[in-house]
Amino acid sequence: MTHSIGNRQRKANSNGGPRVIRIADLATTKHRTGRLPVSPATVWRWVKEGKFPAPFKLGPNTTVFDLDLVEAFLAQQAEVQS
């Protein structure tokens, strides 16, 4: 199943929605290790530069990243490095 958000199709999870991750779980801070060994500022800079998948809003105070797109980015980076 796919889920349409904006002008992109997203793969749905078993609950019918896309798999998502918030910046707090994605980036690393002094007090918490994230999925990426970079700061939130780096993630936002990469998004601005078009190097990292853009997030989308679930609501006025909730911004998330599509986990499938994040995992594809990581796989692509790993391939480039090998």
Coordinates of all heavy atoms in Angstrom, one line a residue:
M1 N 0.8 -1.2 0.0 CA 0.0 0.0 0.0 C 0.9 1.2 0.0 O 1.9 1.3 0.6 CB -0.9 0.0 1.3 CG -1.7 1.2 1.4 SD -2.7 1.1 3.0 CE -4.3 1.5 2.3
T2 N 0.5 2.3 -0.7 CA 1.2 3.5 -0.7 C 0.3 4.6 -0.1 O -0.9 4.5 -0.1 CB 1.6 3.9 -2.1 OG1 0.5 4.1 -2.9 CG2 2.6 2.9 -2.7
H3 N 1.0 5.6 0.3 CA 0.3 6.8 1.0 C 0.7 8.0 0.3 O 1.9 8.2 0.1 CB 0.8 6.8 2.4 CG -0.2 7.4 3.4 ND1 -1.5 7.1 3.5 CD2 0.1 8.3 4.3 CE1 -2.0 7.8 4.4 NE2 -1.1 8.6 5.0
S4 N -0.2 8.8 -0.2 CA 0.2 10.1 -0.9 C 0.2 11.2 0.1 O -0.7 11.5 0.7 CB -0.8 10.3 -2.0 OG -0.4 11.5 -2.7
I5 N 1.4 11.9 0.2 CA 1.6 13.1 1.0 C 2.3 14.1 0.1 O 3.4 13.8 -0.4 CB 2.4 12.8 2.3 CG1 1.6 11.8 3.1 CG2 2.6 14.1 3.0 CD1 2.3 11.4 4.4
G6 N 1.6 15.2 -0.1 CA 2.2 16.2 -1.0 C 2.1 15.6 -2.4 O 1.2 15.0 -2.8
N7 N 3.2 15.7 -3.1 CA 3.2 15.2 -4.5 C 4.1 13.9 -4.5 O 4.5 13.5 -5.6 CB 3.8 16.2 -5.5 CG 5.1 16.7 -5.1 OD1 5.7 16.3 -4.1 ND2 5.7 17.6 -5.9
R8 N 4.3 13.3 -3.4 CA 5.1 12.0 -3.3 C 4.3 10.9 -2.8 O 3.5 11.0 -2.0 CB 6.3 12.2 -2.4 CG 7.4 13.1 -3.0 CD 8.6 13.1 -2.1 NE 8.3 14.1 -1.0 CZ 9.2 14.4 -0.1 NH1 10.4 13.9 -0.2 NH2 8.9 15.3 0.8
Q9 N 4.6 9.7 -3.4 CA 4.0 8.5 -2.9 C 4.9 7.9 -1.8 O 6.1 7.8 -2.0 CB 3.8 7.5 -4.0 CG 2.8 7.9 -5.0 CD 1.4 7.8 -4.5 OE1 1.0 6.8 -3.8 NE2 0.6 8.8 -4.8
R10 N 4.3 7.4 -0.7 CA 5.1 6.8 0.4 C 4.6 5.4 0.6 O 3.4 5.2 0.6 CB 5.0 7.7 1.6 CG 5.5 9.1 1.4 CD 5.5 9.8 2.7 NE 5.7 11.2 2.6 CZ 6.9 11.8 2.3 NH1 7.9 11.1 2.2 NH2 7.0 13.1 2.2
K11 N 5.6 4.6 0.9 CA 5.2 3.2 1.3 C 4.6 3.2 2.6 O 5.0 3.8 3.6 CB 6.5 2.3 1.3 CG 6.3 0.9 1.5 CD 7.6 0.2 1.3 CE 7.5 -1.3 1.7 NZ 8.8 -1.9 1.7
A12 N 3.5 2.5 2.8 CA 2.7 2.5 4.0 C 3.2 1.3 4.9 O 3.7 0.3 4.5 CB 1.2 2.2 3.8
N13 N 3.1 1.6 6.3 CA 3.5 0.5 7.2 C 2.3 -0.4 7.4 O 1.2 -0.2 6.8 CB 4.0 1.1 8.5 CG 3.0 1.9 9.3 OD1 1.8 1.7 9.1 ND2 3.4 2.7 10.2
S14 N 2.4 -1.3 8.3 CA 1.3 -2.3 8.5 C 0.0 -1.6 9.1 O -1.1 -2.2 9.0 CB 1.7 -3.4 9.5 OG 2.1 -2.8 10.7
N15 N 0.2 -0.4 9.6 CA -1.0 0.3 10.1 C -1.6 1.2 9.0 O -2.6 1.9 9.3 CB -0.6 1.2 11.3 CG -0.1 0.4 12.5 OD1 -0.6 -0.7 12.7 ND2 0.8 1.0 13.2
G16 N -1.1 1.2 7.8 CA -1.6 1.9 6.7 C -1.0 3.3 6.5 O -1.3 3.9 5.5
G17 N -0.1 3.7 7.3 CA 0.6 5.0 7.2 C 2.1 4.8 6.9 O 2.6 3.7 7.0
P18 N 2.8 5.9 6.5 CA 4.2 5.7 6.2 C 5.0 5.5 7.5 O 4.5 5.9 8.6 CB 4.6 7.1 5.6 CG 3.5 8.0 6.1 CD 2.3 7.2 6.3
R19 N 6.1 4.8 7.4 CA 7.0 4.7 8.6 C 7.7 6.0 8.7 O 8.2 6.6 7.8 CB 8.0 3.6 8.4 CG 7.4 2.2 8.3 CD 8.4 1.1 8.2 NE 9.5 1.4 7.3 CZ 10.8 1.1 7.7 NH1 11.0 0.4 8.8 NH2 11.8 1.4 6.9
V20 N 7.7 6.6 9.9 CA 8.3 7.9 10.1 C 9.2 8.0 11.3 O 9.2 7.1 12.1 CB 7.2 9.0 10.3 CG1 6.3 9.1 9.1 CG2 6.4 8.7 11.6
I21 N 10.1 9.0 11.3 CA 11.0 9.2 12.4 C 11.2 10.7 12.6 O 11.2 11.5 11.7 CB 12.4 8.6 12.1 CG1 13.3 8.6 13.3 CG2 13.0 9.2 10.8 CD1 14.6 7.7 13.1
R22 N 11.2 11.1 13.9 CA 11.4 12.5 14.2 C 12.8 12.9 14.3 O 13.7 12.0 14.5 CB 10.7 12.8 15.5 CG 9.1 12.6 15.4 CD 8.4 13.1 16.5 NE 8.4 14.5 16.5 CZ 7.8 15.3 17.4 NH1 7.0 14.7 18.3 NH2 7.9 16.6 17.3
I23 N 13.1 14.1 14.2 CA 14.5 14.6 14.3 C 15.2 14.2 15.6 O 16.4 13.9 15.6 CB 14.6 16.2 14.0 CG1 16.1 16.6 13.8 CG2 14.0 16.9 15.1 CD1 16.7 16.2 12.5
A24 N 14.5 14.2 16.7 CA 15.0 13.8 18.0 C 15.5 12.4 18.0 O 16.5 12.0 18.7 CB 14.0 14.0 19.1
D25 N 14.9 11.5 17.2 CA 15.4 10.1 17.1 C 16.4 9.9 16.0 O 17.1 8.9 15.9 CB 14.2 9.2 16.9 CG 13.2 9.3 18.0 OD1 13.6 9.3 19.2 OD2 12.0 9.3 17.7
L26 N 16.5 10.8 15.1 CA 17.3 10.7 13.9 C 18.7 11.3 14.2 O 19.7 10.6 13.9 CB 16.7 11.5 12.7 CG 17.3 11.4 11.4 CD1 17.3 9.9 10.9 CD2 16.5 12.3 10.4
A27 N 18.8 12.4 14.7 CA 20.1 13.1 14.9 C 20.6 12.8 16.4 O 19.9 12.6 17.3 CB 20.0 14.6 14.7
T28 N 21.9 13.0 16.5 CA 22.6 12.8 17.8 C 22.8 14.1 18.5 O 23.2 15.1 17.9 CB 24.0 12.1 17.6 OG1 23.7 10.8 17.0 CG2 24.8 11.9 18.8
T29 N 22.6 14.1 19.8 CA 22.8 15.3 20.6 C 23.8 14.9 21.8 O 24.1 13.7 21.9 CB 21.5 15.9 21.2 OG1 21.0 14.9 22.1 CG2 20.5 16.2 20.1
K30 N 24.2 15.8 22.6 CA 25.0 15.5 23.7 C 24.4 14.5 24.7 O 25.1 13.7 25.3 CB 25.3 16.8 24.6 CG 26.2 17.8 23.9 CD 26.4 19.0 24.8 CE 27.1 20.1 24.1 NZ 27.3 21.2 25.0
H31 N 23.1 14.5 24.8 CA 22.4 13.6 25.7 C 21.8 12.4 25.1 O 21.2 11.6 25.9 CB 21.4 14.4 26.5 CG 21.9 15.7 27.1 ND1 22.8 15.6 28.2 CD2 21.8 17.0 26.8 CE1 23.2 16.8 28.5 NE2 22.6 17.7 27.7
R32 N 21.7 12.3 23.8 CA 21.0 11.2 23.2 C 21.7 10.8 21.9 O 21.9 11.7 21.0 CB 19.6 11.6 23.0 CG 18.7 10.5 22.5 CD 17.3 10.9 22.5 NE 16.5 9.7 22.1 CZ 15.2 9.7 22.1 NH1 14.5 10.8 22.3 NH2 14.5 8.7 21.7
T33 N 21.9 9.5 21.7 CA 22.4 9.0 20.4 C 21.3 8.8 19.5 O 20.3 8.1 19.8 CB 23.2 7.7 20.7 OG1 24.3 7.9 21.6 CG2 23.8 7.2 19.4
G34 N 21.4 9.3 18.3 CA 20.4 9.2 17.3 C 20.8 8.1 16.3 O 21.9 7.5 16.4
R35 N 20.0 8.0 15.3 CA 20.3 7.0 14.2 C 21.5 7.4 13.4 O 22.2 6.6 12.8 CB 19.1 6.9 13.3 CG 18.9 5.6 12.7 CD 17.5 5.3 12.3 NE 17.3 3.9 12.5 CZ 16.4 3.3 11.8 NH1 15.6 3.9 11.0 NH2 16.3 2.0 12.0
L36 N 21.7 8.8 13.3 CA 22.8 9.3 12.5 C 23.8 9.9 13.5 O 23.4 10.5 14.5 CB 22.3 10.4 11.6 CG 21.3 10.0 10.5 CD1 20.9 11.2 9.7 CD2 22.0 9.0 9.6
P37 N 25.1 9.8 13.2 CA 26.1 10.4 14.1 C 26.4 11.9 13.8 O 27.5 12.4 13.8 CB 27.4 9.6 13.8 CG 27.2 9.2 12.4 CD 25.7 9.0 12.1
V38 N 25.3 12.6 13.5 CA 25.4 14.1 13.2 C 24.4 14.8 14.0 O 23.4 14.3 14.4 CB 25.2 14.3 11.7 CG1 26.3 13.7 10.9 CG2 23.9 13.9 11.2
S39 N 24.6 16.1 14.1 CA 23.7 17.0 14.9 C 22.4 17.3 14.1 O 22.4 17.2 12.9 CB 24.4 18.3 15.3 OG 24.5 19.1 14.1
P40 N 21.4 17.7 14.9 CA 20.2 18.2 14.2 C 20.5 19.3 13.2 O 19.9 19.3 12.1 CB 19.3 18.7 15.3 CG 19.7 17.9 16.5 CD 21.2 17.7 16.3
A41 N 21.4 20.2 13.5 CA 21.7 21.3 12.6 C 22.3 20.8 11.3 O 22.0 21.3 10.2 CB 22.7 22.2 13.3
T42 N 23.1 19.7 11.4 CA 23.6 19.1 10.1 C 22.5 18.5 9.3 O 22.5 18.7 8.1 CB 24.7 18.1 10.5 OG1 25.8 18.7 11.2 CG2 25.2 17.4 9.2
V43 N 21.6 17.8 9.9 CA 20.5 17.2 9.2 C 19.7 18.3 8.5 O 19.4 18.2 7.3 CB 19.5 16.4 10.1 CG1 18.3 16.0 9.3 CG2 20.3 15.2 10.7
W44 N 19.4 19.4 9.2 CA 18.6 20.5 8.6 C 19.4 21.2 7.4 O 18.8 21.5 6.4 CB 18.2 21.5 9.6 CG 17.1 21.0 10.5 CD1 17.2 20.8 11.9 CD2 15.8 20.5 10.2 NE1 16.1 20.3 12.4 CE2 15.2 20.1 11.4 CE3 15.1 20.4 9.0 CZ2 13.9 19.5 11.4 CZ3 13.9 19.9 9.0 CH2 13.3 19.5 10.2
R45 N 20.7 21.3 7.6 CA 21.5 21.9 6.5 C 21.5 21.0 5.3 O 21.4 21.4 4.2 CB 23.0 22.1 7.0 CG 23.8 22.8 6.0 CD 25.3 23.1 6.5 NE 26.0 21.9 6.6 CZ 26.4 21.3 7.8 NH1 26.1 22.0 8.9 NH2 27.1 20.2 7.9
W46 N 21.6 19.6 5.5 CA 21.6 18.7 4.4 C 20.2 18.8 3.7 O 20.2 18.7 2.5 CB 21.8 17.3 4.9 CG 23.2 16.9 5.3 CD1 24.3 17.7 5.1 CD2 23.6 15.8 5.9 NE1 25.4 17.0 5.6 CE2 25.0 15.8 6.1 CE3 23.0 14.6 6.4 CZ2 25.8 14.8 6.7 CZ3 23.7 13.6 7.0 CH2 25.1 13.7 7.2
V47 N 19.2 18.9 4.5 CA 17.8 19.1 3.8 C 17.8 20.3 3.0 O 17.4 20.3 1.8 CB 16.7 19.1 4.9 CG1 15.4 19.5 4.3 CG2 16.6 17.8 5.6
K48 N 18.3 21.4 3.5 CA 18.3 22.7 2.8 C 19.1 22.6 1.5 O 18.7 23.2 0.5 CB 18.8 23.8 3.7 CG 18.8 25.2 3.1 CD 19.3 26.2 4.1 CE 19.4 27.6 3.4 NZ 19.9 28.6 4.4
E49 N 20.2 21.9 1.6 CA 21.1 21.7 0.4 C 20.6 20.7 -0.6 O 21.2 20.4 -1.6 CB 22.5 21.3 0.9 CG 23.2 22.4 1.7 CD 24.5 22.0 2.3 OE1 24.8 20.8 2.3 OE2 25.2 22.9 2.8
G50 N 19.5 20.0 -0.2 CA 18.9 18.9 -1.1 C 19.7 17.6 -1.0 O 19.5 16.7 -1.9
K51 N 20.5 17.4 0.0 CA 21.3 16.2 0.2 C 20.6 15.1 1.0 O 21.0 14.0 0.9 CB 22.7 16.5 0.9 CG 23.6 17.4 0.1 CD 24.8 17.7 0.9 CE 25.7 18.7 0.2 NZ 26.9 19.0 0.9
F52 N 19.6 15.5 1.7 CA 18.9 14.6 2.6 C 17.4 14.7 2.3 O 16.9 15.8 2.0 CB 19.2 15.0 4.1 CG 18.9 13.9 5.1 CD1 19.6 12.8 5.3 CD2 17.7 14.0 5.8 CE1 19.3 11.8 6.2 CE2 17.4 13.1 6.7 CZ 18.2 12.0 6.9
P53 N 16.7 13.6 2.5 CA 15.2 13.6 2.2 C 14.5 14.7 3.1 O 14.8 14.8 4.3 CB 14.7 12.2 2.6 CG 16.0 11.4 2.6 CD 17.1 12.3 2.9
A54 N 13.7 15.5 2.5 CA 12.9 16.5 3.2 C 11.9 15.9 4.1 O 11.3 14.9 3.8 CB 12.3 17.4 2.2
P55 N 11.6 16.5 5.2 CA 10.6 16.1 6.1 C 9.2 16.6 5.7 O 9.1 17.3 4.7 CB 10.9 16.7 7.5 CG 11.6 18.0 7.0 CD 12.3 17.7 5.8
F56 N 8.2 16.1 6.4 CA 6.8 16.6 6.1 C 6.1 16.8 7.4 O 6.5 16.2 8.4 CB 6.0 15.7 5.2 CG 5.9 14.3 5.6 CD1 4.7 13.9 6.3 CD2 6.8 13.3 5.4 CE1 4.5 12.6 6.7 CE2 6.7 12.0 5.9 CZ 5.5 11.6 6.5
K57 N 5.1 17.6 7.4 CA 4.4 17.9 8.6 C 3.2 17.0 8.8 O 2.4 16.7 7.9 CB 3.8 19.4 8.6 CG 4.8 20.4 8.4 CD 5.5 20.8 9.6 CE 4.9 22.0 10.3 NZ 5.5 22.2 11.6
L58 N 3.1 16.5 10.1 CA 1.9 15.7 10.4 C 0.8 16.6 11.1 O -0.3 16.3 11.1 CB 2.2 14.6 11.5 CG 3.0 13.4 10.9 CD1 3.3 12.5 12.1 CD2 2.3 12.7 9.8
G59 N 1.3 17.7 11.6 CA 0.4 18.7 12.3 C 1.2 20.0 12.5 O 2.4 20.1 12.1
P60 N 0.6 21.0 13.1 CA 1.3 22.3 13.2 C 2.6 22.2 14.0 O 3.5 23.0 13.8 CB 0.3 23.1 13.9 CG -0.7 22.2 14.5 CD -0.7 21.0 13.7
N61 N 2.8 21.2 14.9 CA 4.0 21.1 15.8 C 4.7 19.8 15.6 O 5.5 19.4 16.5 CB 3.6 21.3 17.2 CG 3.0 22.7 17.5 OD1 3.5 23.7 17.0 ND2 1.9 22.7 18.2
T62 N 4.4 19.0 14.6 CA 5.0 17.7 14.4 C 5.5 17.6 13.0 O 4.8 17.5 12.0 CB 3.9 16.6 14.6 OG1 3.3 16.8 15.9 CG2 4.6 15.3 14.6
T63 N 6.9 17.5 12.9 CA 7.5 17.3 11.6 C 8.3 16.0 11.7 O 8.9 15.7 12.7 CB 8.6 18.5 11.4 OG1 7.9 19.7 11.4 CG2 9.3 18.3 10.1
V64 N 8.1 15.2 10.6 CA 8.7 13.9 10.6 C 9.4 13.6 9.3 O 9.1 14.3 8.3 CB 7.7 12.8 10.8 CG1 7.1 12.9 12.2 CG2 6.6 12.8 9.8
F65 N 10.3 12.6 9.3 CA 11.0 12.2 8.1 C 10.4 10.8 7.7 O 10.2 10.0 8.6 CB 12.5 12.1 8.3 CG 13.2 13.4 8.5 CD1 13.1 14.0 9.8 CD2 13.8 14.1 7.5 CE1 13.8 15.2 10.0 CE2 14.4 15.3 7.7 CZ 14.4 15.9 9.0
D66 N 10.3 10.6 6.4 CA 9.9 9.3 5.9 C 11.1 8.3 6.2 O 12.2 8.5 5.6 CB 9.6 9.4 4.4 CG 9.1 8.1 3.9 OD1 9.7 7.0 4.1 OD2 8.1 8.1 3.1
L67 N 10.9 7.3 7.0 CA 12.0 6.4 7.4 C 12.5 5.6 6.2 O 13.7 5.3 6.1 CB 11.5 5.5 8.5 CG 12.6 4.6 9.1 CD1 13.8 5.4 9.6 CD2 12.0 3.8 10.3
D68 N 11.6 5.2 5.2 CA 12.1 4.5 4.0 C 13.0 5.4 3.2 O 14.0 4.9 2.7 CB 10.9 4.1 3.2 CG 10.0 3.0 3.9 OD1 10.6 2.2 4.5 OD2 8.8 3.1 3.7
L69 N 12.7 6.7 3.1 CA 13.6 7.6 2.4 C 15.0 7.7 3.1 O 16.0 7.8 2.5 CB 13.0 8.9 2.1 CG 11.7 8.9 1.2 CD1 11.1 10.3 1.1 CD2 12.1 8.3 -0.1
V70 N 14.9 7.8 4.4 CA 16.1 8.0 5.2 C 17.0 6.7 5.1 O 18.2 6.8 4.9 CB 15.8 8.2 6.7 CG1 17.0 8.1 7.6 CG2 15.1 9.6 6.9
E71 N 16.4 5.5 5.2 CA 17.1 4.3 5.0 C 17.7 4.2 3.6 O 18.8 3.7 3.4 CB 16.2 3.1 5.3 CG 16.0 3.0 6.8 CD 15.0 1.9 7.2 OE1 14.2 1.4 6.3 OE2 14.9 1.6 8.4
A72 N 17.0 4.6 2.6 CA 17.5 4.6 1.2 C 18.7 5.5 1.1 O 19.7 5.2 0.4 CB 16.4 5.0 0.2
F73 N 18.6 6.7 1.7 CA 19.8 7.7 1.8 C 21.0 7.0 2.4 O 22.1 7.1 1.9 CB 19.4 8.9 2.5 CG 20.6 9.8 2.9 CD1 21.0 10.7 2.0 CD2 21.2 9.7 4.1 CE1 22.1 11.5 2.3 CE2 22.3 10.5 4.4 CZ 22.7 11.4 3.5
L74 N 20.8 6.3 3.5 CA 21.9 5.7 4.2 C 22.5 4.6 3.4 O 23.7 4.4 3.3 CB 21.5 5.1 5.6 CG 21.1 6.2 6.6 CD1 20.5 5.5 7.8 CD2 22.2 7.0 7.0
A75 N 21.7 3.8 2.7 CA 22.2 2.7 1.8 C 23.0 3.3 0.7 O 24.0 2.8 0.3 CB 21.0 1.9 1.3
Q76 N 22.5 4.4 0.1 CA 23.2 5.0 -1.0 C 24.5 5.6 -0.6 O 25.5 5.4 -1.3 CB 22.3 6.2 -1.6 CG 23.0 6.9 -2.7 CD 22.1 8.0 -3.2 OE1 21.4 8.6 -2.4 NE2 22.2 8.4 -4.5
Q77 N 24.6 6.2 0.6 CA 25.9 6.7 1.1 C 26.8 5.5 1.4 O 28.0 5.7 1.1 CB 25.6 7.5 2.4 CG 24.8 8.8 2.2 CD 25.4 9.6 1.1 OE1 26.6 10.0 1.2 NE2 24.6 10.0 0.2
A78 N 26.4 4.4 1.9 CA 27.2 3.3 2.2 C 27.8 2.7 0.9 O 29.0 2.3 0.8 CB 26.4 2.2 2.9
E79 N 27.0 2.7 -0.2 CA 27.4 2.2 -1.5 C 28.5 3.1 -2.1 O 29.4 2.7 -2.6 CB 26.2 2.1 -2.4 CG 26.5 1.2 -3.5 CD 25.2 0.8 -4.3 OE1 24.4 0.1 -3.7 OE2 25.1 1.3 -5.4
V80 N 28.3 4.4 -1.9 CA 29.2 5.4 -2.4 C 30.6 5.2 -1.7 O 31.6 5.4 -2.4 CB 28.7 6.9 -2.3 CG1 29.8 7.9 -2.5 CG2 27.5 7.1 -3.1
Q81 N 30.6 4.9 -0.5 CA 31.8 4.8 0.3 C 32.6 3.5 0.0 O 33.7 3.4 0.3 CB 31.5 4.9 1.8 CG 30.9 6.2 2.2 CD 31.8 7.4 2.0 OE1 33.0 7.3 2.2 NE2 31.2 8.4 1.4
S82 N 31.9 2.5 -0.5 CA 32.6 1.2 -0.8 C 33.1 1.1 -2.2 O 33.1 1.9 -3.0 CB 31.6 0.1 -0.5 OG 30.4 0.2 -1.2

